[in-house]
Amino acid sequence: MESYLNFMLIRFGILAAGVAVLVIIGFAIALYLKRKGKLGHARRYVEPMARTVIDRAGERSTRTGRGAWKGTAARKVVNYLDKNDKR
């Protein structure tokens, strides 16, 4: 039983470290784009993808009851893009 708990703890640590690394990479990319003045261009590319994720997650969550978090996250991104749209 102890070895199983150790395995689960190591697995959780690896997953948490992976998520942390992805967040740091995303923040670094956003900061780089903002400094270069190309964040607006990136927003135009991300917005259609985020809207697609919202639509697909909505379809899946109603069918299977899963995937609602994807739609929520994508909806937050699109709301942020709409609020900060400076066209």
Side-chain angles (χ1 to χ4, degrees):
M1 184 70 173
E2 183 181 345
S3 62
Y4 175 74
L5 291 175
N6 285 337
F7 171 73
M8 294 300 289
L9 182 61
I10 291 169
R11 188 179 115 189
F12 174 74
I14 291 171
L15 288 173
V19 169
V21 167
L22 288 175
V23 167
I24 291 170
I25 289 171
F27 179 74
I29 290 171
L31 188 63
Y32 174 78
L33 288 172
K34 187 171 183 177
R35 286 186 179 173
K36 294 292 183 181
K38 297 186 182 198
L39 193 58
H41 297 293
R43 283 184 179 158
R44 283 187 288 219
Y45 290 116
V46 170
E47 187 175 5
M49 290 186 285
R51 291 191 189 278
T52 303
V53 170
I54 288 173
D55 294 339
R56 288 183 182 172
E59 292 170 6
R60 287 187 189 136
S61 64
T62 56
R63 267 188 302 175
T64 63
R66 297 171 57 186
W69 65 272
K70 292 177 192 173
T72 303
R75 197 169 293 110
K76 293 282 185 185
V77 168
V78 170
N79 288 341
Y80 176 80
L81 291 173
D82 287 343
K83 186 174 83 173
N84 295 320
D85 193 16
K86 296 179 182 176
R87 288 186 231 178

